[in-house]
Each structure stands twice: as C-alpha cells, then as structure tokens.
Amino acid sequence: MWPFGSSYPERTPEDVDGKIYDYVIVGGGAAGCVLASRLSEDPTVSVLLLEKGFVKDNLFSRIPLLSQNPMMSGLQVVKHLSQMPSALNRKLSLFWAEALGGSTRINAMLLTRGPPGNYNEWSQDLGLKDWGWESVEPYFRKSENAIGHPDAKYRGHHGPVETRQPAYPFSFHPYIEIAARRLGLPVHDDCNDPDASAQGYFRLDQAIDSNGRRISAYKAWLSKETAIARTSHLTVCTGVTVSKLDIDTKTRKILGVQIRRRGQTSNRECYVQARREVVLCAGAIGTPQILMRSGIGPKDHLQQLGIPIVQESSAVGNNLMDHVAVPVMSRVPTRDTIHSLYNPFVFIWQFLLWLFFGRGLLSTSSTSSTIFARTTAIDDATMQVQTSCNGKDAMDSMQPHNAPDIEVMIIPVESYFDVYITEHSLLTWLCTLVQPFSRGNIRLTTTNPEHPPEITHPLLRDERDFQPMRKAIRFAMHLGQEFARSGYPHPAPLVYGPGMDLEYLDQRLGFMKLLPNQQKKSGGTTELPGWQDVSDEAIDEYTKRAYQSALHYACTCRMSLDASDGVVDQELRVFGIIGLRIADASVFPKIPSAHTMAPTMMVAERCADFIKETWREK
Ligand SMILES: Cc1cc2nc3c(=O)[nH]c(=O)nc-3n(C[C@H](O)[C@H](O)[C@H](O)COP(=O)(O)OP(=O)(O)OC[C@H]3O[C@@H](n4cnc5c(N)ncnc54)[C@H](O)[C@@H]3O)c2cc1C
C-alpha cells in the first residue's frame, strides 16, 4: 500500500514460463521502458518485458535528491570494483541500478541531448548516414515534455519525460555565472538548444515533475496506470535474470530466451518464445554479457569458456567508453551546500517542504548547472575560452570538431566516491572528460549469469587523455579562483585539488592505513596554489588518486557499417542473426558529450519505429 508498496502488475518467471510473445524485451532500464511502452501502444501485439530488478516504488525513491542515494531509495544497486593498475592499483567503484527503470531510478535526472555535432560526427565521420542530427532530433523531441521551456520550438512538449529547471537552491549561482563570463564562456539557459554555442555555461534540465518528484524511465513510460491499462497485451516480468538467447543455428533465427529467478543458485531455467523479435536493453554492461553467454562474441574468449560459437563478433564487449571525472573543490559556507542536510533540523524542514509543497532542496538534482568546453579552444597562457581555434570557428555546435571534450559539473557537496567529508562544506568543480580516447572491455568470468563480469575500465588507459584532463583541471581551478573573486560574499578558497597535501588525501581516501600511534592528519584547510603554479606532475599525481567514473557506460556493442568492427547495423539489428536487435547505450558508435540517459531514450525511440516499420511491411 502506498507509500510503502505498490500493486504494480509484476509477473514472475514462473508466470511467463512456456509462453509465446510477439516481442521479448530484455532489460527494463532507460531503453527497455521506452521500447515496451512504444511497442505496446499497438493492442494487437503481445509484448513481454523481462527485468532483473523490481518496481520497488516507495516514498524515498520518488524524492529527487534522496533517491540519488541508493541507501535511501532501497533499490538494488550493483557495486562493482574494478582494479586500476594504471593508477596506484586503486579500486574504482562502478555502480548501476537493477530495477524497473534501471539507472534512471538513481541517476542525477539531468537531461542533456548532446550537441548536434556529436551526431553529425556519427553520420559524417563514421559513415552512419541515418544517425546525423537531422535524423535523431525528432526522436529527442518526441520523448520529452520540456515544461521548463514552454515556448521553445526546438523542444518537445507532448512526450512522457517531463523536464524542468527547478529554482536554483543556493546563493552561489550568479557568482559562478560572473566567473564563467570572465573566462570567456557565453551563458545559456538551455543546453538542449541546437542553436546554443558548443561551449558555454548552461543551466540544466532535470527530469522532475511539477510536484517535485523524480521522473524515471519507469514513471515516464511504464507507470502503474499504463501497465494496468495494457495488461491484456503487455507483461512486465520482474526479478528475472535472462541467462541466454535461444538461436536456431541453421536458420540463424532467434527463437526465444532462457530465464531464471534473479539470484537463483540452482540451474533450473524457464523459457519464453519470441514470435517476431527479441530486443536487448540490458545496458552497456549487461547486453554484451548476454550475447557472449549465447555464443555471440570474440572467438578466443568464448572458446576459453567452452561456449559454442554461434556468431563470431570481436566487437562484443569491446570499445567500452565512459566519462572520466576528477573533483576539484572549494570550501564554502555550509548553508550553500548539500552538507546543510547533515543538520537534522534542516533535513526535517526540507523534508516537510518537499512533502507538502514539492519544493526545496530535496526536490532538485544535486547538479543544476554545468560548463561544456573544448580544450583546443582554451588558451594555455590565459586559461580562457576562445571563440575560434586555428582560424576556425569554435562555437558552432553543428560541427563535429566543436563537440566539447570537457565538462565541469557544479556540485554543491564533496565528490569523492565512498568518502564522506564532514569537517568542511565543499563545492565541487567536477572536471570530466566527455570525449576520451581510452577504451576498455567487458569479459565473462564464468557462464553463470549471476556471476559478475570482469570490467577493464577505460579510465585514462590512453596517454592522450592526460593532456585534456590537465587542461580541464587547470581551467576548473581558474574558474574556482575567479568565483572566489566574483563578489561572492564569503571566502571560497580552493582546498582539494592538485598541490594539496597528498598524504592527507591518501589517508582520507583510505589508500594509506594509519599505523599505531600515527596521528591522523588534518587537511582541507590550506588554499591550493594558483592554476598557473601547479605542475603537470602534480596534476597527474592528484588525478591518479581522485579520478572516478561518471557512470556513463556505453559503446560495448557499437553500431557500425561493418560486421568486423561493430555489432549492430543502422537499424540496430545484430549482424548475422535474424530477429535480434539492441537498443540501449551499448550501441552508441562513440559516446556523446552528454549525460547518456536522453541519448539512450532517443536510440530506443528509433528502435521502436524500426520494428513497427519492419512488421507493418510484412
Ligand atoms: C548513479 C548514476 C547517475 C547518472 N546520472 C545521469 C544523469 O543525471 N543524466 C543522464 O543522462 N544519465 C545519467 N546516468 C546514466 C544513465 O542513467 C544511463 O546512461 C542509462 O540509464 C542507460 O540506460 P540503459 O537502458 O542502457 O541501461 P540501464 O538503465 O542500466 O538499464 C539496464 C537494465 O537491464 C537490466 N538487466 C541487466 N542484465 C539483465 C539480465 N541478464 N536479465 C534481465 N535484466 C537485466 C538491469 O537490471 C537494468 O534495469 C547516470 C547513471 C548512474 C549509474
């Protein structure tokens, strides 16, 4: 019963065992919810959605800020530690949600399409002619209801994903705007405006409704009302792990999928048949694993595990891309940060504000504004953005060469994963590489679908990524220092970043265990040197300690014209198999300079149309 439970029509693996459906969708995250919703608009077809997690809709999972913290929402969040030999053997935390809605149940709700130049690069440079800006733009519009920009013709107003720009919750925002302008950045209130400049300081859209509640993919596309209204032809089966695909090796046609209860230790499997198509939407980590378990993947790897080869495909699980982030932080007054919620009175007040009015700090994302820039257009001597670079314009967002390669997210709290800093209140300048060169991969460790994969994270594995990261960090330090001089009425020194006491940081991050009798070092009080005074070595040393994933995993089953180089064609059909498509973040040919939820939904929207078109013709 609300608010503690839900009468969502969730089915179990046993309920669907032995049944046949027109379409079987594997994974109910951002992509899976879009696809199940769009395909089930037609009441004459039957659609089955198979999701590993559950609905678990509760009060905390609806509160925007609190639901970003998995401990609060109670959702199943997988935490995977990846060993990083390239960086002091640190363990990198990767996580994602297993729930109806996938990671959109815990994400920061930021809705960014990416600049048109990203998609023009897919079409012009990678040859994917059907995926240029002109082709993808209508699908971004179709899914959104941009209530924050009611008159904008370039935004959608009839889709299910409501987006707003909640009031800025803190007093520092105008001063950041001043600092950004001083660094040469234009200020825009919509980063999804295709006419906005490629580089700038942008206010962000957040997927939050007018009552201050999170709009996840589940809420937008497969709400309880939708699921109940469509029970005759839409089945949502939760708590189910898809172990592998059933493919006829002679005809190369997909027949169905093998499934089991989530977390089950025995080998007992259930089976569902697909009359028309199976669509994989298990995400950039999950989808390649299902393919490999089914015999589609790199030959050597499948042979090592004794998996019979159905389709050799060297790109499956390769080319893993992700955005890489390094925090630099300024000390600011507690009331200007999320740290203020550590005070129980403030927390209770904010909770009541949300509960009765849908307003206040809890009704927003942790991030309200950001900066996108191109490092080649940042002048080394002044650390300011130029409007042209080598005689070429650097602002036209349609041009692939102008796509931003860095983002500086503005986050009013400390931003080291797994570490809570309670002794200072911090404002983070999160320096993020959004067009990295590095690539990683995903491999199975066993054939058991419940066993975790081995993830070789791309993070700074390619030396070419260090140069833009150094520039991003210097640029963010310059921004932080300009902010402190902008008229902001409080001291705001940069205290965490290159040039800080690394021994203190090592203790803080837990790399260095304290010896008996050794004093805990205090820190976070000394102001950092100016951006001009930090050496490359100091930046690299800091980066190796403080870097983290921005959790935008992508490209592990990339789209390509060529089967030897990719996994799906331009209509998202898996090369060599009939009736199998992929529609999640794994198919991006290259990661966009954007937070990846909206681009993933765009891909899934297109996939639904490809499928409808295919079967209309038949
Ligand atoms: C903490 C966090 C914050 C983020 N913040 C933002 C943000 O603010 N803005 C933004 O644009 N993006 C953000 N992202 C990224 C964004 O949420 C993802 O890009 C998006 O959810 C990817 O969608 P997807 O459908 O590819 O995968 P997911 O949403 O991960 O969905 C995959 C689903 O498949 C299911 N699944 C996997 N394997 C199986 C199996 N074998 N059987 C059955 N089901 C299976 C999983 O349980 C999951 O529900 C964030 C991500 C995280 C983790």
Side-chain angles (χ1 to χ4, degrees):
M1 216 44 69
W2 189 90
F4 304 108
S6 151
S7 52
Y8 197 97
E10 292 175 83
R11 300 285 166 252
T12 66
E14 290 76 17
D15 292 337
V16 300
D17 188 19
K19 299 209 169 125
I20 180 165
Y21 299 85
D22 289 322
Y23 302 112
V24 176
I25 299 163
V26 176
C33 288
V34 175
L35 213 60
S37 179
R38 288 298 185 201
L39 292 177
S40 63
E41 283 170 351
D42 176 356
T44 67
V45 299
S46 55
V47 178
L48 171 66
L49 177 65
L50 298 165
E51 167 51 45
K52 206 170 189 176
F54 296 91
V55 173
K56 282 207 173 168
D57 189 359
N58 59 50
L59 186 66
F60 288 105
S61 72
R62 296 173 199 162
I63 304 178
L65 190 65
L66 297 187
S67 54
Q68 282 186 246
N69 180 338
M71 308 261 278
M72 287 278 190
S73 63
L75 293 167
Q76 274 134 354
V77 174
V78 179
K79 184 165 171 189
H80 187 101
L81 294 175
S82 216
Q83 197 82 28
M84 303 304 299
S86 59
L88 315 173
N89 249 340
R90 263 189 64 199
K91 284 208 172 89
L92 171 75
S93 292
L94 303 173
F95 51 94
W96 56 88
E98 292 182 346
L100 191 63
S103 289
T104 69
R105 296 290 296 280
I106 58 162
N107 72 12
M109 300 155 283
L110 308 175
L111 191 121
T112 58
R113 298 166 166 187
N118 281 151
Y119 305 97
N120 289 338
E121 182 184 9
W122 293 8
S123 80
Q124 291 164 20
D125 300 355
L126 307 179
L128 300 162
K129 299 281 177 232
D130 301 341
W131 288 84
W133 176 248
E134 293 293 311
S135 310
V136 302
E137 188 271 346
Y139 289 91
F140 280 116
R141 258 190 297 130
K142 189 175 179 189
S143 60
E144 67 187 15
N145 179 10
I147 47 183
H149 300 277
D151 305 320
K153 295 216 165 45
Y154 53 85
R155 298 300 302 270
H157 301 286
H158 306 289
V161 183
E162 267 181 54
T163 70
R164 294 164 62 226
Q165 294 188 318
Y168 277 147
F170 298 115
S171 75
F172 58 70
H173 288 282
Y175 302 97
I176 296 183
E177 205 174 303
I178 293 170
R181 284 188 202 276
R182 284 187 189 162
L183 267 59
L185 288 162
V187 175
H188 295 284
D189 81 336
D190 189 359
C191 68
N192 296 314
D193 177 355
D195 292 330
S197 54
Q199 308 188 75
Y201 174 58
F202 300 94
R203 191 162 177 174
L204 287 162
D205 269 24
Q206 304 174 19
I208 293 172
D209 72 13
S210 38
N211 296 316
R213 288 172 305 195
R214 171 185 285 270
I215 297 287
S216 63
Y218 138 70
K219 268 287 172 199
W221 301 92
L222 286 184
S223 65
K224 188 169 80 181
E225 296 69 32
T226 305
I228 290 171
R230 297 184 188 176
T231 36
S232 62
H233 60 290
L234 169 67
T235 306
V236 179
C237 175
T238 54
V240 58
T241 300
V242 172
S243 41
K244 60 182 193 173
L245 309 171
D246 179 24
I247 299 163
D248 183 327
T249 47
K250 288 211 184 77
T251 61
R252 315 203 59 74
K253 186 176 176 330
I254 187 108
L255 302 174
V257 299
Q258 285 186 14
I259 58 176
R260 48 163 75 191
R261 251 179 199 274
R262 176 203 169 90
Q264 174 189 297
T265 46
S266 77
N267 284 333
R268 186 177 174 276
E269 299 247 317
C270 300
Y271 182 77
V272 287
Q273 217 177 316
R275 200 179 281 120
R276 292 183 174 182
E277 298 203 25
V278 172
V279 190
L280 296 181
C281 298
I285 309 282
T287 289
Q289 292 183 64
I290 296 171
L291 287 176
M292 289 190 277
R293 285 198 296 269
S294 313
I296 304 170
K299 188 171 164 192
D300 291 353
H301 180 55
L302 300 187
Q303 280 174 342
Q304 270 167 12
L305 288 164
I307 300 172
I309 294 168
V310 174
Q311 171 78 22
E312 186 184 345
S313 179
S314 59
V316 171
N318 281 333
N319 309 304
L320 171 63
M321 292 190 81
D322 189 6
H323 295 148
V324 183
V326 176
V328 170
M329 300 188 268
S330 300
R331 208 177 57 237
V332 292
T334 304
R335 63 176 173 279
D336 247 359
T337 67
I338 293 173
H339 294 265
S340 55
L341 291 175
Y342 296 161
N343 176 332
F345 296 107
V346 176
F347 182 88
I348 291 167
W349 168 242
Q350 291 293 342
F351 180 73
L352 294 174
L353 261 183
W354 178 83
L355 192 65
F356 292 109
F357 305 105
R359 293 187 32 218
L361 190 46
L362 302 188
S363 70
T364 70
S365 165
S366 56
T367 310
S368 304
S369 62
T370 199
I371 284 167
F372 285 107
R374 179 94 190 167
T375 48
T376 46
I378 298 176
D379 183 66
D380 282 315
T382 60
M383 245 347 106
Q384 286 191 320
V385 168
Q386 312 295 304
T387 53
S388 66
C389 173
N390 299 328
K392 274 203 213 152
D393 160 84
M395 288 303 200
D396 179 359
S397 70
M398 291 288 160
Q399 302 305 326
H401 63 259
N402 288 342
D405 63 346
I406 61 164
E407 177 178 5
V408 181
M409 290 182 231
I410 290 140
I411 308 178
V413 69
E414 94 277 333
S415 298
Y416 296 128
F417 279 179
D418 303 329
V419 178
Y420 285 102
I421 297 176
T422 44
E423 62 269 36
H424 322 287
S425 305
L426 296 163
L427 172 62
T428 299
W429 316 93
L430 191 63
C431 312
T432 312
L433 287 190
V434 291
Q435 287 294 299
F437 290 98
S438 303
R439 304 285 190 274
N441 64 47
I442 291 171
R443 292 287 182 265
L444 299 176
T445 48
T446 73
T447 54
N448 186 326
E450 297 297 344
H451 288 177
E454 184 180 302
I455 302 178
T456 303
H457 195 277
L459 237 151
L460 299 173
R461 282 161 60 86
D462 189 315
E463 282 293 315
R464 286 173 295 175
D465 282 337
F466 277 92
Q467 190 52 30
M469 184 51 99
R470 288 178 200 134
K471 198 118 168 218
I473 290 176
R474 283 201 175 91
F475 183 75
M477 290 177 80
H478 190 193
L479 183 74
Q481 285 154 356
E482 273 311 323
F483 166 68
R485 292 192 282 262
S486 64
Y488 180 61
H490 312 283
L494 275 178
V495 287
Y496 282 77
M500 73 180 289
D501 179 347
L502 291 181
E503 207 179 306
Y504 166 73
L505 185 65
D506 284 348
Q507 280 185 2
R508 208 71 193 74
L509 301 180
F511 304 154
M512 210 168 74
K513 293 268 175 303
L514 282 183
L515 298 169
N517 305 327
Q518 193 183 354
Q519 284 281 308
K520 194 172 169 197
K521 289 199 83 168
S522 60
T525 47
T526 317
E527 187 157 354
L528 301 185
W531 65 265
Q532 309 93 325
D533 302 322
V534 284
S535 64
D536 285 355
E537 292 71 31
I539 297 183
D540 294 350
E541 276 303 307
Y542 177 76
T543 296
K544 286 180 187 167
R545 285 166 168 80
Y547 70 45
Q548 53 193 251
S549 158
L551 311 171
H552 294 160
Y553 328 113
C555 309
T556 49
C557 296
R558 71 179 173 197
M559 189 190 328
S560 173
L561 297 179
D562 180 359
S564 67
D565 174 54
V567 180
V568 296
D569 67 12
Q570 291 199 77
E571 291 202 12
L572 307 173
R573 294 172 292 218
V574 174
F575 289 118
I577 308 291
I578 299 166
L580 179 62
R581 296 193 210 230
I582 307 176
D584 56 29
S586 69
V587 302
F588 297 159
K590 195 174 174 211
I591 198 164
S593 316
H595 301 243
T596 40
M597 171 174 69
T600 305
M601 289 181 179
M602 174 277 288
V603 166
E605 282 271 23
R606 289 207 78 186
C607 187
D609 270 9
F610 292 142
I611 292 173
K612 286 177 179 175
E613 201 52 39
T614 302
W615 292 95
R616 193 175 302 131
E617 285 164 10
K618 291 186 179 173

